[in-house]
Amino acid sequence: SLKGPAIDSLARRVKQRPCKTMAGPFKLPNKAEAEAEKKKRAAIKQVKEWVESYIPPEHLANHACVVDVSEVVCGDPNCAPIDTAVRIIYKCNDQGGNVGTIFGVPCEAADVEQRDIDEMMPPAEYFDAWHKGETKIWPAPPENPEPGEPPDVELRFKVGDRVECCIARGPNGWAPGTIVSHWFRAPQWPTGQFAPYQIKLESSENLIFAPQDRDNCIRALKE
């Protein structure tokens, strides 16, 4: 054992130091909390196994793919208070670039069923693409709706007409431009929704659209 005056002095100071009880918000989990945590960990492990059953074993064996499952608190009052988040991450280069996907099941891990995972998992070709470092979006973006037929209405201005468009409030909120097309529509708009005009502004290369064929929205340019 260590000996000497300095050691003896330190031992006396430690012996004489009063013992203090730690105060603060720390507490040992009770039995119910410990059981709940154990159940949660087991459920997360089960969800992870379901997810990994879809992934080629060699992707997991060499750690090219990592699966992470966790519970996250959702702050949106319109959604479930706790989601089970699933992350499938493929490392595609040494600079830290990753590909893969993340999706959530709107319930605690203990309430997740295998069919929930079956419905959310991507097809096999996605894993092959991610393993090659390719970016492939899952869940796949929704298909754009059918455009439908434009309204059978005669418009006031022809293609090529010079007009003024209201782009801001006030008397100075008008910008000159030229009509470039009739019945403009963005791909993601609901079926049957069209804007009467698409216009190229003189001040830029940008194209805008007029949502209504009214003077408070678009009017003839006064030369």
Side-chain angles (χ1 to χ4, degrees):
S1 62
L2 296 174
K3 296 181 180 180
I7 297 299
D8 293 342
S9 175
L10 176 61
R12 285 194 299 271
R13 291 199 302 272
V14 172
K15 185 176 181 180
Q16 293 169 1
R17 184 178 299 163
C19 178
K20 296 182 179 179
T21 302
M22 292 183 65
F26 309 104
K27 66 175 183 178
L28 294 175
N30 58 38
K31 185 176 181 180
E33 291 172 337
E35 286 296 322
E37 181 64 22
K38 182 179 179 181
K39 180 180 178 181
K40 171 184 169 181
R41 290 180 180 275
I44 287 176
K45 182 175 182 290
Q46 177 62 82
V47 172
K48 184 176 181 179
E49 290 176 356
W50 287 334
V51 173
E52 289 181 340
S53 69
Y54 279 82
I55 301 171
E58 60 272 19
H59 296 186
L60 298 168
N62 60 12
H63 303 292
C65 176
V66 175
V67 175
D68 176 71
V69 179
S70 61
E71 289 184 350
V72 295
V73 177
C74 179
D76 187 344
N78 296 317
C79 71
I82 295 180
D83 290 346
T84 299
V86 176
R87 299 173 180 86
I88 303 174
I89 305 168
Y90 277 81
K91 183 179 179 181
C92 60
N93 59 49
D94 294 333
Q95 284 70 46
N98 297 319
V99 293
T101 187
I102 176 173
F103 60 83
V105 183
C107 62
E108 298 181 23
D111 296 325
V112 177
E113 300 180 0
Q114 185 169 3
R115 64 181 180 180
D116 297 322
I117 300 301
D118 294 341
E119 293 172 357
M120 298 295 294
M121 292 299 293
E125 61 263 24
Y126 280 76
F127 301 112
D128 294 335
W130 291 334
H131 193 248
K132 297 174 184 176
E134 300 174 5
T135 300
K136 198 171 176 66
I137 304 300
W138 180 265
E143 294 184 4
N144 292 326
E146 292 293 325
E149 294 295 327
D152 185 15
V153 176
E154 185 176 353
L155 299 175
R156 294 182 297 155
F157 303 110
K158 301 185 300 295
V159 172
D161 283 354
R162 299 187 70 211
V163 294
E164 285 184 317
C165 302
C166 183
I167 60 173
R169 292 183 177 181
N172 298 322
W174 292 84
T178 303
I179 304 289
V180 297
S181 69
H182 287 162
W183 300 121
F184 167 79
R185 141 180 193 85
Q188 70 274 17
W189 286 1
T191 299
Q193 181 176 335
F194 294 84
Y197 303 105
Q198 188 175 38
I199 307 101
K200 180 187 177 300
L201 297 179
E202 292 183 2
S203 58
S204 71
E205 294 298 319
N206 294 334
L207 297 175
I208 65 171
F209 66 88
Q212 296 176 325
D213 188 15
R214 296 180 181 178
D215 271 346
N216 62 353
C217 180
I218 183 171
R219 66 192 183 191
L221 179 66
K222 297 177 181 179
E223 300 292 349

